[in-house]
Amino acid sequence: MYYKFSGFTQSLIGTSAPGAYNPQGFRPPVVSDAPALVFGTPVKYASESGSASEFLGKNRVPDLQRLFQTSDGLPVHLKRGVPDRLLYRTTMALTVGGALYCLVALYMATQPRNKK
């Protein structure tokens, strides 16, 4: 047996199969024509451009691959020298400082306040 929700009695009532699959008078939509494609614009690939003048920079990927793939014992995040060391040390200092600040704030939060 099939059931559907009755808006009049606010309860479930028995119905036929088509009534259960199309409740409250809704009917399946009639498809008229396909909607326009959202991403239907043609794509221009880099290989189709024909000229290299659109990219004005030098391809640095081979140089960076050579730099990062050398086995000199340094971790990857320190391979580029002074700027990487500066960023790494700043990050570590902020991390340690933040952890200490959290511990001090936790200690202060656990202390009772003096009532005057």
Side-chain angles (χ1 to χ4, degrees):
M1 180 162 201
Y2 297 98
Y3 298 95
K4 75 174 187 177
F5 182 75
S6 171
F8 182 71
T9 61
Q10 300 293 312
S11 64
L12 292 176
I13 59 172
T15 185
S16 63
Y21 289 118
N22 298 315
Q24 284 88 21
F26 292 125
R27 299 287 176 240
V30 177
V31 178
S32 57
D33 55 342
L37 292 174
V38 175
F39 297 105
T41 58
V43 177
K44 183 178 178 183
Y45 296 103
S47 61
E48 296 174 355
S49 65
S51 68
S53 63
E54 292 179 15
F55 180 70
L56 301 176
K58 179 184 172 239
N59 187 6
R60 298 184 320 159
V61 172
D63 298 331
L64 292 174
Q65 283 178 340
R66 208 173 302 112
L67 172 71
F68 287 119
Q69 290 176 357
T70 57
S71 60
D72 53 3
L74 285 174
V76 174
H77 60 274
L78 296 176
K79 290 253 184 183
R80 293 183 70 185
V82 175
D84 284 347
R85 279 186 273 153
L86 181 66
L87 283 172
Y88 177 75
R89 289 179 181 167
T90 303
T91 303
M92 288 299 110
L94 288 172
T95 302
V96 170
L100 290 175
Y101 179 76
C102 287
L103 291 174
V104 168
L106 184 62
Y107 174 75
M108 290 174 60
T110 59
Q111 299 302 315
R113 293 188 179 206
N114 293 335
K115 293 184 180 180
K116 290 183 180 183

